[in-house]
Amino acid sequence: MRIGELATSTGVSVRALRYYEEQALLIPERSGGGQRHYDEAAVDRVQLIQTLYAAGLSSRTILALLPCVDAKVNTPQSRALLNAERGRIDQQINQLIEARARLDDVIALSESPASGCNRTGAALV
Amino acid sequence: MRIGELATSTGVSVRALRYYEEQALLIPERSGGGQRHYDEAAVDRVQLIQTLYAAGLSSRTILALLPCVDAKVNTPQSRALLNAERGRIDQQINQLIEARARLDDVIALSESPASGCNRTGAALV
DNA sequence: CTAGAACCTGACGTGGACGTGAGGGACAAG
DNA sequence: CTTGTCCCTCACGTCCACGTCAGGTTCTAG
């Protein structure tokens, strides 16, 4: 499949796919004219990359992890990296849970009196 | 307390504290010479700000929430905002849990064979 | 064969939370 | 009064995952 089809079937932009290649995360074949051609497995790989990006991993880190996925390879370094990232994610989850609890505190407080928070009505976020 | 003391006692940089003021998140008094002076409550406020930043909220959103914390105010808009952000955080937690599961898959696979993932030994992350 | 859609390679722009000097005041200690 | 440390205000730099043109090429349908 060409880049446009992969983009629509994964929901990421064409630019993002080219960026993944730039970062050596997903390197497609090329047709005679220089156009990128991806196989079916690329769909899953793109989704994995997106998942890891969403977890806050950098391109560099993902690049280091992908060989482990592809070849089921295994070294002390790779295990250390995997565990380190797992720990980072755990920590991040805990931070989010803490933040949610703080928000819940605010929500609980804001459910009795009546006053003017954000009276301006200005757009937020 | 002056800015340096608040910085060390909260663990954030002096630059960050000035940035918070720029964003109207934490506005201190000024001494005759123009130096910032914070009260004790600033420590908690900085920590709250940090927590919300860590949860991915923007300065604008935090700015909109802080009046709710300070004055326990309450409007339909503020409740909507609080709930929206709560939802975002929940969603982000779920994404992280998913990412962790994918990492666990990789870890499980990488705990039987032996091969060369990241043979280069290059620094990661 | 031709129009048009999809693709290509640069290369600069973006947004957010600061980092990092430059150049100059403020303030307690001696 | 001077030294040293902390503080001030600009204001440009950074990182990173892309967005967004510009100018040109390739592929496909008719």
Side-chain angles (χ1 to χ4, degrees):
Chain A
M1 65 203 315
R2 292 194 297 173
I3 196 168
E5 191 180 346
L6 181 60
T8 61
S9 71
T10 57
V12 313
S13 70
V14 168
R15 177 69 176 91
L17 294 175
R18 290 204 263 254
Y19 177 75
Y20 296 167
E21 183 178 3
E22 227 177 280
Q23 303 299 307
L25 301 179
L26 176 57
I27 297 176
E29 303 295 311
R30 295 292 185 129
S31 72
Q35 300 201 345
R36 294 170 177 84
H37 279 260
Y38 299 88
D39 54 24
E40 287 301 322
V43 176
D44 284 359
R45 156 134 335 190
V46 168
Q47 276 159 5
L48 174 61
I49 292 172
Q50 284 286 102
T51 299
L52 296 178
Y53 271 138
L57 306 209
S58 68
S59 294
R60 272 254 295 281
T61 306
I62 297 176
L63 180 59
L65 293 181
L66 285 181
C68 306
V69 180
D70 290 338
K72 281 85 183 176
V73 291
N74 173 30
T75 73
Q77 288 92 348
S78 74
R79 275 193 301 263
L81 174 61
L82 287 166
N83 286 323
E85 290 306 320
R86 215 206 107 102
R88 256 190 13 80
I89 292 177
D90 268 347
Q91 194 179 327
Q92 209 173 331
I93 290 174
N94 288 332
Q95 282 182 6
L96 283 171
I97 289 174
E98 166 68 13
R100 188 176 60 182
R102 303 306 306 266
L103 264 191
D104 283 343
D105 291 348
V106 177
I107 290 173
L109 283 173
S110 106
E111 267 169 9
S112 29
S115 178
C117 173
N118 185 31
R119 275 189 185 290
T120 67
L124 302 167
V125 180
Chain B
M1 65 203 314
R2 292 193 299 173
I3 196 169
E5 191 180 345
L6 181 60
T8 62
S9 72
T10 57
V12 313
S13 70
V14 168
R15 177 66 176 93
L17 294 175
R18 291 203 265 251
Y19 177 75
Y20 296 167
E21 183 178 3
E22 225 176 282
Q23 303 299 308
L25 301 180
L26 178 57
I27 297 177
E29 302 296 310
R30 296 290 187 133
S31 71
Q35 302 202 343
R36 294 171 178 82
H37 280 259
Y38 299 88
D39 54 25
E40 286 302 321
V43 175
D44 284 359
R45 156 132 338 187
V46 167
Q47 276 158 5
L48 175 61
I49 292 172
Q50 284 286 99
T51 297
L52 296 179
Y53 271 138
L57 306 207
S58 69
S59 294
R60 271 254 294 282
T61 306
I62 297 176
L63 180 59
L65 293 181
L66 285 180
C68 306
V69 180
D70 291 340
K72 281 87 183 173
V73 291
N74 172 31
T75 73
Q77 288 94 346
S78 74
R79 275 193 301 263
L81 175 61
L82 286 166
N83 286 323
E85 290 306 320
R86 217 206 106 102
R88 257 189 14 78
I89 291 176
D90 270 345
Q91 193 179 328
Q92 208 174 330
I93 289 175
N94 288 332
Q95 282 181 6
L96 283 170
I97 288 174
E98 166 69 11
R100 188 176 61 183
R102 304 305 307 266
L103 262 192
D104 283 344
D105 292 347
V106 178
I107 290 173
L109 284 174
S110 106
E111 267 171 8
S112 29
S115 177
C117 172
N118 184 31
R119 274 189 186 289
T120 68
L124 303 166
V125 180

